[in-house]
């Protein structure tokens, strides 16, 4: 069944709040330095919550230290007590007023948590073994088994991978199989108290319950498992984009503006191509161009996907393999196919199938293109032509300014037999040089090549040196014809006769392909910027990660408790998430009731590591209560949570009152 029920089968909805602190180095719940414990308990009841998630550390259980007096300034009668005494009093005081309690093992070593660089993601650490972890769970289950309002034992907080130890769900390895460890620990607890519920944390900091879909946990008593998930704004990559980079509404404006600009350029290019008579690129040039840009963007995508997978591997190998590995493989395949396309295009160019400057208009044209490239090479090898030409271009100190020179005509004149005869005693160059060719023929071939290069030098381009071989058109003609292009667009003038494919058109093709790819990316970003902030997208994501378990009638159907979530601004993320909890009538525990937190450091956003500092009391910006542990920090938050407490929920969508420019935590 999907709901938590009592012994009569009636729905019992956990509308809880987290009251943290006992797992920290202070070994006491927060607020006791400000207000008497009884006052805070009464405040929780008065706010409408019916249960509390109470946390401890294995170290606190093992060492049972004396709680520091400065932690109990507002509770002098409690000074001198040890951790277990204070924890007992804490539990008893809450259950005395009718609050249900879920006892949670938050961490092993007392202190701040939780980050992927900490070994607290495992249920055992070098300091505290798996046996001690299970022993502590059994200890508290037995200690409170006669207290009927201690309703559950929460086995572990936010399990995740650590330092190359990748957790599995059903792998069988006792060091990595979280489902196995939870089953063993859960059964040990049930041996002590068969009436208590066993709360099992989802993978990946509590964000991913998908492995349970194929392998639900089976304990010695049925209907004892409650799955726990956690969720915060930073748990979703798409929400982080909005929080860290740009709000979605601004991103939509920017990408739409750029898409319109680039579409305008593409339209102009198309009109210019029509004005020039729609010259067609050779197949080789087309394959090289399309393949190059596709491979470039595919390699960029592969790099990004690989980096994201590597980051995910730091804390959740399961998600890395399921969510990111398909992208890595897809981009890798696309890159390989694109590189093959480039290689094929280069082969076609070197074989003379039109070259960079020829047009594949027919067999005769292709034969002429092959013959021209062949004739230019002393050995008849197109690869040599490319290498020598590239060397000459690199050696040239500068490219002469463009002149209004018909490279095609000049090249033909330079390559004519009469011109060749003037430069060499040989009257002609054999169409197919052979090993038996005379020295005069060899010199004649060099003379023709040098004459062709001299004619083309004023208009040669660094980008594609083979574009101006004899008979292959004028370089960059399209740019000198911009006035004519504009006139043809405005006055619909008849296009000119087809121009020969040249370097200018080659460059234009690269720009055209690049712009088409960018326009596609911008349009995709525009659609995503509209879709991602919507409730439907959020609901799809949460259903995929853990909400599926709330569907009745499946083998994996089970109660799911949202054990932690919090926010300081009523923005897109908050509204979508609260709406989802309401629509699924999900049990929850808000983080947190605390008004202050014992801060022991912070995460460096550059290195990703936790950097400790001298501990101090700081504002708990997610807290329901303010620092006085009585007044309400955010009224809107309490109203939203109150609406979630009923079953079915009474919460309904509201207007968006949060401005991203005022507070980036709005999330959209």
């Amino acid at each position: 069944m999907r709901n938590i029920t009592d012994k009569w089968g009636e729905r019992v909805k956990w509308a809880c709040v987290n009251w943290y602190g006992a797992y920290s180095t202070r070994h006491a719940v927060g607020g006791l330095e400000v207000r008497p414990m009884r006052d805070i308990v009464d405040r929780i009841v008065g706010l409408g919550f019916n249960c509390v998630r109470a946390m401890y550390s294995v170290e606190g259980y093992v060492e049972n230290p004396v709680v520091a007096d400065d932690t109990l300034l507002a509770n002098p009668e409690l000074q001198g007590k040890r951790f277990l005494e204070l924890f007992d009093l804490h539990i008893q005081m809450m259950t005395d007023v009718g609050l249900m309690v879920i006892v949670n093992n938050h961490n092993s070593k007392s202190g701040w948590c939780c980050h992927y660089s900490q070994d607290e993601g495992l249920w055992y650490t070098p300091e505290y073994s798996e046996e001690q972890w299970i022993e502590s769970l059994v200890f508290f289950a037995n200690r409170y088994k006669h207290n009927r309002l201690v309703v559950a034992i929460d086995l572990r907080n936010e399990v995740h991978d650590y330092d190359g130890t990748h957790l599995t769900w059903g792998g069988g390895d006792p060091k990595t199989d979280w489902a196995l460890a939870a089953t063993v620990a859960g059964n040990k607890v049930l041996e002590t108290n068969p009436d208590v519920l066993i709360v099992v944390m989802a993978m990946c900091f509590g964000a991913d319950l998908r492995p349970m879909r194929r392998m639900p946990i089976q304990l010695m008593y049925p209907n004892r498992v409650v799955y726990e998930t956690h969720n915060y704004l930073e748990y979703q990559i798409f929400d982080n984009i909005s929080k860290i980079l740009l709000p979605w509404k601004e991103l939509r404006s920017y990408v739409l503006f750029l898409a319109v600009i680039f579409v305008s350029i593409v339209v102009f290019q198309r009109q210019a191509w029509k004005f020039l008579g729609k010259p067609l690129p050779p197949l080789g040039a087309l394959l090289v161009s399309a393949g190059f840009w596709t491979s470039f963007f595919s390699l960029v995508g592969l790099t990004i996907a690989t980096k994201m997978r590597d980051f995910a591997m730091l804390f959740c190998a399961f998600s890395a393999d399921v969510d990111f590995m398909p992208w890595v493989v897809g981009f890798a395949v696309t890159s390989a196919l694109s590189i093959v396309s480039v290689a094929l295009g280069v082969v076609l160019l070197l074989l003379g199938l039109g070259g960079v400057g020829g047009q594949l208009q027919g067999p005769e044209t292709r034969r002429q293109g092959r013959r021209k490239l062949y004739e230019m090479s002393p050995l008849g090898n197109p690869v040599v032509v490319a290498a020598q030409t590239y060397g000459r271009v690199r050696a040239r100190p500068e490219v002469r300014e463009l002149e209004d020179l018909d490279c095609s005509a000049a090249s033909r004149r330079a390559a004519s037999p009469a011109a060749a005869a003037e430069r060499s005693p040989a009257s002609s160059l054999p169409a197919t040089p052979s090993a038996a060719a005379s020295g005069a023929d060899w010199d004649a071939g060099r003379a023709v090549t040098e004459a062709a290069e001299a004619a083309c030098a004023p208009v040669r381009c660094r980008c594609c040196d083979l574009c101006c071989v004899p008979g292959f058109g004028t370089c960059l003609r399209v740019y000198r014809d911009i006035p004519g292009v504009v006139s043809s667009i405005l006055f619909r003038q008849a296009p000119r006769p087809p121009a020969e494919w040249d370097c200018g058109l080659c460059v234009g093709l690269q720009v055209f392909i690049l712009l088409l790819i960018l326009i596609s990316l911008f349009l995709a970003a525009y659609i995503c910027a509209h879709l991602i902030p919507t409730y439907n997208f959020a609901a799809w994501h949460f259903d995929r990660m853990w909400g599926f378990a709330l569907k009745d009638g499946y083998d994996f159907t089970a109660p799911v408790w949202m054990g932690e979530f919090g926010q300081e601004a009523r923005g897109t993320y908050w509204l979508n998430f609260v709406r989802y909890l309401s629509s699924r009538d999900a049990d929850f525990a808000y983080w947190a009731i605390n008004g202050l937190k014992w801060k022991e450091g912070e995460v460096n956003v550059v290195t990703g590591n936790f950097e400790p500092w001298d501990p101090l009391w700081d504002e708990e910006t997610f807290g329901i209560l303010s620092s006085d542990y009585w007044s309400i920090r955010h009224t809107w938050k309490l109203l939203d949570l109150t609406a979630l407490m009923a079953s079915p929920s009474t919460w309904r969508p509201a207007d968006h009152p949060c401005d991203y420019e005022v507070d980036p935590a709005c999330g959209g």
Side-chain angles (χ1 to χ4, degrees):
M1 64 180 68
R2 60 143 288 173
N3 290 327
I4 300 169
T5 61
D6 59 21
K7 63 181 180 180
W8 298 283
E10 297 293 328
R11 168 78 192 275
V12 177
K13 184 172 184 178
W14 287 358
C16 314
V17 67
N18 287 273
W19 189 0
Y20 67 82
Y23 68 85
S24 72
T25 55
R26 310 305 289 176
H27 297 108
V29 289
L32 303 187
E33 74 285 355
V34 175
R35 190 169 293 277
M37 183 186 292
R38 172 65 69 180
D39 288 357
I40 301 175
V41 170
D42 291 341
R43 191 60 167 148
I44 292 173
V45 174
L47 294 177
F49 296 98
N50 66 9
C51 66
V52 172
R53 183 174 180 240
M55 307 130 197
Y56 76 92
S57 67
V58 177
E59 179 182 346
Y61 155 73
V62 172
E63 303 296 334
N64 194 23
V66 175
V67 179
D69 288 347
D70 61 352
T71 304
L72 305 169
L73 293 177
N75 296 264
E77 74 281 4
L78 302 180
Q79 292 182 353
K81 291 187 179 296
R82 292 184 176 272
F83 161 73
L84 287 176
E85 294 179 272
L86 196 61
F87 199 74
D88 286 344
L89 182 61
H90 174 218
I91 299 296
Q92 190 64 49
M93 196 173 291
M94 290 189 293
T95 57
D96 283 348
V97 296
L99 289 170
M100 293 179 288
V101 173
I102 295 93
V103 178
N104 161 246
N105 171 236
H106 210 67
N107 48 358
S108 294
K109 185 178 180 180
S110 299
W112 176 87
C113 91
C114 302
H115 191 258
Y116 65 79
S117 62
Q118 292 182 297
D119 55 9
E120 295 294 342
L122 309 177
W123 54 94
Y124 57 89
T125 64
E127 297 87 358
Y128 299 99
S129 66
E130 179 178 15
E131 290 72 21
Q132 289 174 302
W133 166 65
I134 295 177
E135 181 184 306
S136 72
L137 296 170
V138 172
F139 172 83
F140 284 108
N142 181 65
R143 194 174 185 89
Y144 305 125
K145 69 179 179 180
H146 300 299
N147 189 336
R148 293 295 182 180
L149 286 178
V150 178
V151 295
I153 300 296
D154 184 353
L155 299 181
R156 188 70 173 184
N157 182 70
E158 295 192 355
V159 293
H160 59 82
D161 297 2
Y162 168 71
D163 194 27
T165 300
H166 301 303
L167 300 189
T168 62
W169 188 286
D173 186 343
K175 292 296 184 182
T176 60
D177 189 345
W178 168 234
L180 175 61
T183 301
V184 172
N187 284 331
K188 290 288 186 180
V189 169
L190 290 176
E191 289 176 2
T192 301
N193 183 359
D195 294 327
V196 78
L197 295 177
I198 304 301
V199 179
V200 179
M201 180 65 63
M203 302 272 281
C204 310
F205 286 91
D208 198 338
L209 196 59
R210 287 176 292 177
M212 184 277 288
R213 189 169 193 144
R214 60 175 176 79
M215 186 181 172
I217 289 179
Q218 304 292 334
L219 299 179
M220 59 190 304
Y221 293 103
N223 301 322
R224 292 295 189 273
V225 177
V226 175
Y227 294 101
E228 180 181 358
T229 59
H230 290 182
N231 191 74
Y232 293 97
L233 174 64
E234 60 270 19
Y235 277 31
Q236 285 76 239
I237 294 176
F238 36 83
D239 282 325
N240 277 324
I241 293 174
S242 176
K243 180 180 179 180
I244 298 174
L245 299 179
L246 285 173
W248 291 114
K249 59 182 180 181
E250 290 187 18
L251 182 62
R252 289 195 296 265
S253 300
Y254 286 135
V255 297
L256 182 61
F257 173 77
L258 291 174
V260 170
I261 295 297
F262 289 171
V263 167
S264 302
I265 298 175
V266 167
V267 170
F268 176 83
Q269 281 193 295
R270 183 178 182 279
Q271 291 300 114
W273 178 65
K274 290 175 63 178
F275 174 75
L276 293 175
K278 299 182 179 180
L280 298 175
L283 178 59
L286 189 59
L287 288 174
V288 170
S289 302
F292 168 77
W293 288 112
T294 304
S295 61
F296 173 79
F297 282 100
S298 296
L299 290 172
V300 171
L302 177 62
T303 302
I304 295 174
T306 302
K307 293 294 183 182
M308 293 177 69
R309 180 183 179 274
D310 291 343
F311 176 70
M313 287 292 289
L314 294 175
F315 57 89
C316 186
F318 174 81
S319 178
D321 290 336
V322 173
D323 295 327
F324 297 109
M325 196 60 189
W327 289 95
V328 173
V329 174
F331 281 122
V333 171
T334 304
S335 300
L337 294 177
S338 301
I339 292 173
V340 170
S341 173
V342 172
L344 179 60
V346 170
V347 170
L348 292 177
L349 293 177
L350 294 179
L351 290 178
L353 297 183
V356 177
Q359 298 185 64
L360 297 180
Q361 297 175 338
E364 181 60 31
T365 305
R366 290 195 294 271
R367 283 193 294 272
Q368 291 177 358
R370 286 195 298 269
R371 185 166 59 252
K372 292 178 186 299
L373 286 177
Y374 194 73
E375 290 173 352
M376 289 183 64
S377 172
L379 301 178
N381 187 345
V383 177
V384 176
V385 178
Q388 291 179 346
T389 306
Y390 178 75
R392 285 192 293 270
V393 173
R394 291 296 300 271
R396 191 166 59 251
E398 62 181 7
V399 178
R400 294 165 55 186
E401 295 183 358
L402 297 177
E403 298 177 4
D404 190 10
L405 174 67
D406 188 340
C407 174
S408 169
S411 300
R412 283 193 293 270
R413 288 194 302 272
S416 64
E422 295 176 2
R423 294 172 174 81
S424 172
S427 59
S428 63
L429 180 68
T432 306
S434 64
S438 66
D441 291 338
W442 200 275
D443 292 339
R446 290 188 177 278
V448 172
T449 302
E450 292 171 0
E453 287 183 349
C456 283
V459 292
R460 196 178 288 279
C461 305
R462 290 184 183 274
C463 59
C464 46
D465 194 61
L466 290 178
C467 67
C468 288
V469 295
F472 288 160
T474 304
C475 191
L476 297 177
R477 183 190 311 168
V478 65
Y479 297 105
R480 294 200 301 275
D481 285 338
I482 286 179
V485 174
V486 174
S487 176
S488 69
I489 295 174
L490 295 178
F491 303 106
R492 297 182 179 277
Q493 295 180 355
R496 296 184 178 184
E500 295 182 13
W501 194 263
D502 59 19
C503 185
L505 288 170
C506 180
V507 173
L509 177 63
Q510 312 314 309
V511 175
F512 182 80
I513 295 175
L514 174 61
L515 291 181
L516 286 183
I517 295 175
L518 291 177
I519 290 170
S520 300
L521 293 177
F522 289 152
L523 290 179
Y526 182 77
I527 293 172
C528 290
H530 272 284
L531 175 63
I532 290 175
T534 64
Y535 169 72
N536 288 335
F537 180 84
W540 168 82
H541 172 71
F542 296 132
D543 279 341
R544 172 174 169 263
M545 301 299 287
W546 53 268
F548 60 86
L550 296 175
K551 298 179 180 179
D552 285 316
Y554 295 90
D555 292 339
F556 52 74
T557 299
V560 178
W561 177 45
M562 177 49 61
E564 282 187 27
F565 68 103
Q567 185 55 280
E568 59 189 88
R570 196 170 190 259
T572 300
Y573 159 76
W574 175 265
L575 292 176
N576 285 341
F577 188 64
V578 173
R579 181 179 176 183
Y580 182 80
L581 293 179
S582 175
S583 66
R584 301 302 187 268
D585 195 20
D587 301 77
F588 69 90
Y590 180 78
W591 184 278
I593 195 67
N594 300 55
L596 293 172
K597 57 185 173 183
W598 184 247
K599 199 167 184 179
E600 300 171 323
E602 66 179 0
V603 175
N604 186 315
V605 296
V606 177
T607 64
N609 295 320
F610 178 75
E611 297 180 352
W613 59 32
D614 292 335
L616 53 86
W617 290 107
D618 196 8
E619 293 287 330
E620 173 55 85
T621 56
F622 283 11
I624 293 175
L625 299 180
S626 297
S627 57
D628 61 0
Y629 276 83
W630 189 261
S631 57
I632 304 301
R633 186 179 294 273
H634 298 122
T635 304
W636 57 264
K637 184 184 301 179
L638 181 60
L639 292 174
D640 284 342
L641 294 175
T642 301
L644 290 177
M645 293 176 183
S647 181
S649 171
T650 60
W651 189 92
R652 296 293 179 269
D655 292 335
H656 195 309
C658 181
D659 187 353
Y660 176 94
E661 295 178 356
V662 175
D663 188 351
C666 293

